[in-house]
Amino acid sequence: MATLLNVHRVKYQCSCGSFKSLCYLYFCRHCLKIKCKDCVILEVDCRFCPSCYEHLQSHEAITRKNRCQSCFSCPCCNHTLVTRATNTTAAASPSLNITPDSTTTASLDVDDTISSSTNVSGLQTPSKKVYYLACSVCRWSTRDIRLVDQPTLNSWKAQDNIHEGRFNELLQHYKQIATREKQERDRKRYSTVKLRTSMPTTANRSTSSSDKYGLLAPLTRRGIRTSGILKTPSLTESTNPANPSPKSAETIEQIEALDENLFLNDSFDFNKLTTITQRLNSVEIQPLTIDRLYPLAKNFTSKQSKRCKECDHNVLKPEPSPKLIKFKLHQMALFFIPEIRIWYHPTWSLNDNNSCILSIINQLDEQTTLKIYTLDEIREENTDKELIGRINQFDENILTSKLIFPLEKERSVQLHAHVEPNETDTKIDDELRQNDSKDLVIYRKFAKIAIRCFIKIKSNNVKTVLSAFIIEHRVVGISPIVSTPTPTGPNPISQNVRHIVFIDFGSIDEPALPLHSALT
């Protein structure tokens, strides 16, 4: 249990060669390989506000600059701001003889939009509800910056940006450049299209063979001539006079020197300065003091699908609704590959074999057979050249110890299904316990077992104990779609797969882990 949260101690090798913890990996059931975050493609399914769950399409979210119009974050602590309502006294008529001092604002929440309040003279004046934003964590509110209360909900306007015109000018300029670059690529692509030397001139002539897929007509409309070259403006051509290039930025030649007595002045207060994080949250304005902080519009978040780069199939597909946390497809490696953790290791000895205990948990809902190999046994088999090459490179450059198992051959263990146990499962577990090798398996409880191994440190100058071994198990994949589909669909395929498991036992000076209570 000492390594319950230390998931970085045991890592599995991805198909790209990197080592990651099992909880950070995916398993593709089409190509039957482990995939990490670098081996998948991210696709945005939906964009929504994490506060009000407003769901927008991608183009609508981009138009809003990926910000919600009704939810705001605190500029001080970044928590969600709460809208509060109060009563404010309306402007009184001159006949009531009310002084400006008699106009008050109540701090209580109200339900009616129009109510009545009593002034000093006992007369009633109409009052209305106004709204302001407040943070329930740091107690910041829009009244701290003297922002006027709004008469209606969701009427808070964005802060004026003095550089907005410059940003829009640069954005339009680079959009034109991107459009011309795309046209240049299209021109080079279509210039290789071979057209007939003589174009058909009469309507009753058969269409050209190059127009088999309807390509000739749109190319002709876009300016194809008999040479087959698309007539589009080149990047070197002059731009449209109506959209000239933006003005170049001006370099500041002289910067005003900082006053040396600024920080020594008694009127200077560090508590009124904003932090770097607060300034970067408002990157358009970058306020210097806290009295210039403005409510931040809530950023949209997104639900993303993850697709395998090799076979182009999804390994993760969430539900499109932002209020649902379920997944349509969830192929985490933790659900298909046995999880291995460190249960016990002794105080390390450089000359002897150190006895260690590893726990193995089966996450599948069916019984699985797990085979365990050392690195030397895979080299002796000499069947998988790619796996042997990865092992040799890994063993020479990283590993500092050698892992040995008690049994020399036929190290296979049966793992119980990961289901809620009943009387039948108890009987099956007892049968599996009787068939276990006492030298290898020292503990079994349904889907979890503990095995013994020995660690032999290679040299005396080792600082960290690093070791590895190979596991093999059977997985059920999904067969590719055939040309003639059957009524039952494609049949699943079953195949044995092997994984390299890398274990970091920690520093050579690390004390022994406490022995689990089930093993005492």
Side-chain angles (χ1 to χ4, degrees):
M1 297 299 292
T3 60
L4 179 62
L5 301 179
N6 295 335
V7 294
H8 62 279
R9 288 292 186 94
V10 181
K11 298 181 179 181
Y12 294 71
Q13 189 177 34
C14 176
S15 58
C16 65
S18 60
F19 284 88
K20 304 286 184 181
S21 300
L22 192 63
C23 57
Y24 299 129
L25 295 173
Y26 306 94
F27 184 79
C28 182
R29 296 184 64 189
H30 293 268
C31 55
L32 299 179
K33 294 181 181 179
I34 296 179
K35 302 295 178 181
C36 63
K37 64 178 182 179
D38 298 328
C39 302
V40 295
I41 303 174
L42 298 180
E43 297 177 351
V44 177
D45 289 343
C46 69
R47 302 173 189 267
F48 64 95
C49 174
S51 181
C52 64
Y53 297 107
E54 182 184 5
H55 181 202
L56 295 177
Q57 298 296 331
S58 297
H59 63 278
E60 296 177 354
I62 294 174
T63 304
R64 294 189 183 183
K65 299 180 180 180
N66 288 321
R67 292 181 179 271
C68 183
Q69 295 181 350
S70 58
C71 301
F72 296 88
S73 298
C74 176
C76 292
C77 62
N78 209 29
H79 283 80
T80 303
L81 293 177
V82 181
T83 304
R84 293 184 177 179
T86 60
N87 269 351
T88 181
T89 304
S93 59
S95 60
L96 295 178
N97 193 18
I98 298 176
T99 61
D101 296 337
S102 64
T103 303
T104 58
T105 301
S107 60
L108 300 177
D109 296 343
V110 295
D111 297 329
D112 301 328
T113 55
I114 298 296
S115 61
S116 60
S117 60
T118 305
N119 57 8
V120 179
S121 60
L123 299 178
Q124 292 186 350
T125 57
S127 62
K128 62 179 181 178
K129 184 189 295 185
V130 292
Y131 303 91
Y132 70 97
L133 299 176
C135 179
S136 59
V137 178
C138 66
R139 303 301 179 183
W140 182 90
S141 68
T142 52
R143 294 181 174 181
D144 295 344
I145 58 174
R146 298 179 177 84
L147 194 62
V148 181
D149 297 342
Q150 301 297 320
T152 58
L153 289 171
N154 303 329
S155 59
W156 305 93
K157 297 181 180 180
Q159 192 174 11
D160 296 335
N161 183 10
I162 59 176
H163 306 290
E164 184 176 2
R166 176 65 174 174
F167 288 155
N168 293 335
E169 184 181 9
L170 293 175
L171 182 62
Q172 294 297 329
H173 174 68
Y174 288 112
K175 279 185 178 180
Q176 294 177 6
I177 294 178
T179 302
R180 293 200 301 271
E181 288 179 349
K182 184 178 182 300
Q183 292 176 351
E184 184 72 15
R185 289 193 299 268
D186 293 343
R187 185 185 67 83
K188 293 180 180 178
R189 182 192 311 167
Y190 292 122
S191 63
T192 58
V193 178
K194 296 181 179 180
L195 303 178
R196 285 175 36 174
T197 55
S198 59
M199 300 289 291
T201 55
T202 59
N204 56 357
R205 293 185 61 179
S206 61
T207 58
S208 173
S209 60
S210 62
D211 197 24
K212 181 178 179 180
Y213 302 103
L215 180 64
L216 186 59
L219 291 181
T220 305
R221 288 195 299 268
R222 294 175 63 177
I224 288 290
R225 297 295 181 262
T226 56
S227 60
I229 300 178
L230 190 65
K231 301 298 183 180
T232 56
S234 176
L235 292 176
T236 58
E237 296 180 5
S238 59
T239 59
N240 188 0
N243 299 319
S245 299
K247 183 180 178 181
S248 302
E250 298 180 358
T251 305
I252 301 177
E253 300 293 342
Q254 295 181 356
I255 301 177
E256 185 179 355
L258 180 64
D259 187 8
E260 298 179 355
N261 299 324
L262 176 63
F263 302 103
L264 301 177
N265 192 357
D266 296 337
S267 61
F268 187 83
D269 189 2
F270 281 97
N271 296 326
K272 295 183 179 180
L273 294 180
T274 56
T275 62
I276 296 297
T277 304
Q278 293 173 350
R279 297 181 192 181
L280 294 181
N281 287 337
S282 304
V283 67
E284 304 92 347
I285 309 299
Q286 298 186 15
L288 181 62
T289 56
I290 59 176
D291 57 351
R292 296 184 59 190
L293 292 175
Y294 199 85
L296 304 174
K298 205 77 174 178
N299 290 326
F300 281 151
T301 186
S302 63
K303 279 192 172 184
Q304 298 177 346
S305 299
K306 297 184 179 181
R307 186 183 299 274
C308 177
K309 290 183 179 180
E310 185 173 349
C311 63
D312 203 31
H313 287 90
N314 282 326
V315 296
L316 186 68
K317 183 72 174 178
E319 291 286 348
S321 175
K323 296 183 179 180
L324 298 178
I325 60 174
K326 296 181 180 180
F327 291 87
K328 290 184 177 179
L329 185 64
H330 198 188
Q331 296 182 3
M332 294 293 296
L334 191 65
F335 303 149
F336 299 93
I337 301 174
E339 182 184 8
I340 299 174
R341 291 191 179 184
I342 304 172
W343 251 29
Y344 169 76
H345 71 75
T347 303
W348 300 107
S349 175
L350 299 178
N351 300 324
D352 301 331
N353 290 337
N354 301 274
S355 178
C356 302
I357 300 176
L358 304 176
S359 66
I360 303 176
I361 304 175
N362 180 26
Q363 300 289 349
L364 292 174
D365 55 356
E366 59 183 9
Q367 187 173 331
T368 305
T369 301
L370 181 67
K371 296 182 180 180
I372 306 172
Y373 301 93
T374 61
L375 302 183
D376 295 335
E377 291 174 350
I378 300 297
R379 296 191 186 98
E380 292 175 0
E381 287 184 2
N382 199 18
T383 55
D384 193 344
K385 300 293 184 181
E386 181 182 357
L387 181 60
I388 294 175
R390 288 188 294 170
I391 289 175
N392 293 334
Q393 182 180 5
F394 184 57
D395 193 5
E396 294 175 359
N397 301 329
I398 300 178
L399 299 184
T400 60
S401 62
K402 184 178 181 180
L403 191 143
I404 306 171
F405 292 100
L407 298 180
E408 295 182 358
K409 295 181 180 180
E410 297 297 331
R411 286 187 298 272
S412 62
V413 293
Q414 297 289 333
L415 299 178
H416 194 275
H418 191 83
V419 293
E420 186 176 354
N422 50 30
E423 295 181 359
T424 305
D425 295 326
T426 304
K427 295 179 181 179
I428 296 175
D429 189 60
D430 294 337
E431 294 177 0
L432 295 177
R433 187 179 292 105
Q434 295 177 1
N435 298 330
D436 289 338
S437 174
K438 303 303 180 182
D439 296 333
L440 181 64
V441 181
I442 61 176
Y443 171 80
R444 174 184 289 274
K445 187 176 181 180
F446 297 107
K448 184 175 183 178
I449 66 172
I451 61 174
R452 179 185 285 110
C453 64
F454 299 97
I455 302 297
K456 177 65 176 178
I457 299 177
K458 293 182 178 180
S459 60
N460 296 331
N461 56 355
V462 172
K463 296 182 179 180
T464 305
V465 182
L466 307 175
S467 187
F469 64 98
I470 309 295
I471 62 172
E472 179 182 344
H473 63 100
R474 182 172 292 273
V475 295
V476 178
I478 301 176
S479 61
I481 300 177
V482 294
S483 57
T484 305
T486 59
T488 59
N491 297 324
I493 58 175
S494 180
Q495 181 179 342
N496 288 340
V497 293
R498 291 181 174 180
H499 311 291
I500 300 178
V501 182
F502 169 72
I503 303 179
D504 181 6
F505 287 97
S507 175
I508 192 71
D509 301 327
E510 184 175 332
L513 291 177
L515 196 61
H516 195 272
S517 59
L519 304 178
T520 56

